[in-house]
Amino acid sequence: MSRSAHPAGPRHADVLPEGHYSAPPADLNALDPRVWAQTVGRDGEGVATVGGIDVKRLAEEFGTPAYILDEADFRARARAWRTAFGTDADVFYAGKAFLSRAVVRWLYEEGLNLDVCSGGELATALSAGMPADRIAFHGNNKSTGEIERAVRAGVGRIVLDSFQEIVRVAHIAQSLGRRQRVQIRVTVGVEAHTHEFIATAHEDQKFGIPLAGGQAAEAVRRALQLDGLELIGIHSHIGSQIFDMSGFEVAAHRVVGLLRDIRDEHGVELPEIDLGGGLGIAYTSGDDPREPHEIAKALTEIVTRECEAARLRTPRISVEPGRAVVGPTAFTLYEVGTVKALDGLRTYVSVDGGMSDNIRTALYDAEYSVALVSRTSDAEPMLTRVVGKHCESGDIVVRDAFLPADLAPGDLIAVPATGAYCRSMASNYNHVLRPPVVAVRDGEARVIVRRETEEDLLRLDVG
Ligand code: LLP
């Protein structure tokens, strides 16, 4: 991660403040392919383009701020995951990262399944025609109504998250005359962070049933006894934005240990194992994520080896990447409104969105990059903080970033890698309207989620 102190003084900064920045990049105009969507480049005039369309045109046609999504890149990444895991495994895209009906159709066409975790996500998936048997339903507190809809629709699996839910789903399925396919989500005692994992008591969280102390084994015992349930496997999700595979290794080892205990106790070999999502992406040039084929190879090897050691047939593996599919495929396009230089500190660049379209910086101290995209510039780098228009000083989009010193109101800047958890976590704070998602492909742009309007806001406010 790029968190070193800055060595040499750029403009505006003889004494630089504490920050998360490293040295300014050698070329401020470069758009590093690691953090930008695949088809992003610059045209002959220096204007950034995506899918063959320049960002000035996109801003004129769709306004700013806007999430601009590279459809070809999305499809390519989805396909890469699908191909990497082959036909003996399933890839469930985690809809929480970003879900819309267009996305559901792309996933369907590219052969992926879908993980949903609320009635709203389920409704979106079904309304776009995703076959129910390709949907997994997650959540630590699914309502009775949500469970009923999922069972009636015939979802491929419900991932059970508590003892109460085991009984609840069994009861609902039975009363509907169904036998619902389910997995049990367990916590394996591994917490995975970006570059590390801490093998401590990480059962201390709201998701899953702990393996430790035999609780997960007891959950399996109960699920196997209930007629409304067909227990097909065990699920484990260890965290988010993970680069290091060792957390998965420990998780697979422990889940396979449970499969072995189940075989020994019940004489049943569960046919599936789901290792969740959480694979990291590059938000800045300092991040170095693994490719889907490397991840698939590593996970398959780990599970196969563990199963051989336990003398079990290797179960069908599934994974649930969200961020790693959609994250890198979109950027947020903003117009600069004000540029405020604070002597000896930094320059505050205010854009026309902010924490309502990207809460991740405020919430997780997430790092992003940013670039001037409506033109190139030969001006010196200046240290900036890109902030939004909300009435809150924590309204920061990019905490520390270098932009050209001639940046001015009216310039367009863009923040890459905002495809995951930005639109899906967007809010109406200050009654700021949520931006549209514009999909771009082969010289054509179309709105897949439209911009919110003041009428939308007022419609909910029934007086
Ligand atoms: N599967 C399960 C069971 C999950 O809980 C999650 C994420 C995923 C898959 C997908 O994880 P991904 O591959 O996208 O990392 N809002 C946070 C992330 C929360 C993720 C919650 N669960 C963020 O903005 O980073």
Side-chain angles (χ1 to χ4, degrees), residues 94 96 115 138 185 237 240 278 320 322-323 360 364 421 425:
K96 67 207 84 180
D115 140 13
H138 271 280
R185 177 164 174 179
H237 171 78
S240 274
E320 298 170 339
R323 186 192 322 266
R360 298 192 68 262
Y364 311 119
Y421 303 109
M425 292 171 79

Side-chain angles (χ1 to χ4, degrees), residues 19-357:
H20 289 180
Y21 46 90
S22 51
D27 177 4
L28 274 186
N29 298 315
L31 300 171
D32 182 350
R34 220 179 296 183
V35 289
W36 291 87
Q38 248 171 40
T39 71
V40 169
R42 286 194 191 267
D43 66 15
E45 317 275 271
V47 182
T49 63
V50 54
I53 307 187
D54 81 66
V55 293
K56 281 169 133 174
R57 210 186 106 195
L58 290 170
E60 264 162 39
E61 198 170 332
F62 302 104
T64 54
Y67 302 103
I68 310 293
L69 195 157
D70 181 344
E71 180 182 339
D73 191 17
F74 184 101
R75 285 177 179 275
R77 286 177 199 273
R79 209 174 306 135
W81 277 92
R82 182 61 279 182
T83 313
F85 278 89
T87 49
D88 292 337
D90 296 302
V91 181
F92 287 77
Y93 168 79
K96 67 207 84 180
F98 172 62
L99 198 64
S100 77
R101 287 192 275 194
V103 160
V104 174
R105 285 189 287 268
W106 301 340
L107 293 166
Y108 173 74
E109 286 165 15
E110 301 300 340
L112 274 72
N113 296 355
L114 180 59
D115 140 13
V116 300
C117 67
S118 71
E121 289 183 359
L122 178 63
T124 306
L126 292 174
S127 81
M130 179 58 91
D133 63 357
R134 281 168 61 176
I135 298 175
F137 191 29
H138 271 280
N140 65 304
N141 188 18
K142 308 168 191 78
S143 72
T144 306
E146 287 174 324
I147 296 168
E148 248 177 53
R149 278 162 64 198
V151 174
R152 271 186 208 281
V155 297
R157 63 174 71 155
I158 294 181
V159 183
L160 302 172
D161 197 273
S162 65
F163 284 97
Q164 286 91 349
E165 202 175 69
I166 292 172
V167 177
R168 212 172 276 160
V169 173
H171 178 74
I172 291 171
Q174 213 171 3
S175 65
L176 293 172
R178 304 282 181 93
R179 188 144 187 262
Q180 177 61 49
R181 288 159 62 85
V182 295
Q183 292 188 337
I184 292 176
R185 177 164 174 179
V186 302
T187 44
V188 294
V190 174
E191 185 195 17
H193 284 305
T194 302
H195 288 297
E196 64 191 275
F197 78 91
I198 307 162
T200 53
H202 228 78
E203 285 84 12
D204 189 1
Q205 54 152 312
K206 71 169 184 166
F207 291 111
I209 300 177
L211 276 178
Q215 283 202 55
E218 177 57 24
V220 168
R221 234 166 261 137
R222 295 195 197 173
L224 285 173
Q225 279 165 9
L226 293 165
D227 290 339
L229 306 181
E230 180 189 350
L231 181 62
I232 57 166
I234 301 296
H235 183 287
S236 152
H237 171 78
I238 56 170
S240 274
Q241 186 58 2
I242 303 164
F243 292 98
D244 182 348
M245 298 303 285
S246 50
F248 287 101
E249 190 145 348
V250 178
H253 173 72
R254 295 188 184 164
V255 170
V256 171
L258 176 63
L259 294 179
R260 183 200 52 220
D261 294 349
I262 295 169
R263 190 245 351 249
D264 294 349
E265 184 179 339
H266 306 281
V268 177
E269 289 199 26
L270 297 184
E272 296 189 17
I273 174 174
D274 190 314
L275 292 170
L279 289 317
I281 63 163
Y283 285 102
T284 69
S285 298
D287 296 328
D288 189 16
R290 297 225 198 161
E291 295 294 324
H293 67 88
E294 295 173 279
I295 293 162
K297 186 165 178 282
L299 292 183
T300 310
E301 276 174 11
I302 295 167
V303 174
T304 309
R305 193 183 60 225
E306 293 293 332
C307 287
E308 271 166 16
R311 296 210 168 81
L312 285 165
R313 274 192 299 276
T314 305
R316 187 174 179 86
I317 299 172
S318 47
V319 287
E320 298 170 339
R323 186 192 322 266
V325 177
V326 70
T329 69
F331 58 83
T332 315
L333 187 60
Y334 299 105
E335 185 177 299
V336 173
T338 66
V339 179
K340 190 185 286 181
L342 300 183
D343 281 345
L345 290 171
R346 73 184 88 235
T347 297
Y348 279 79
V349 174
S350 293
V351 294
D352 46 359
M355 66 194 299
S356 56
D357 60 68

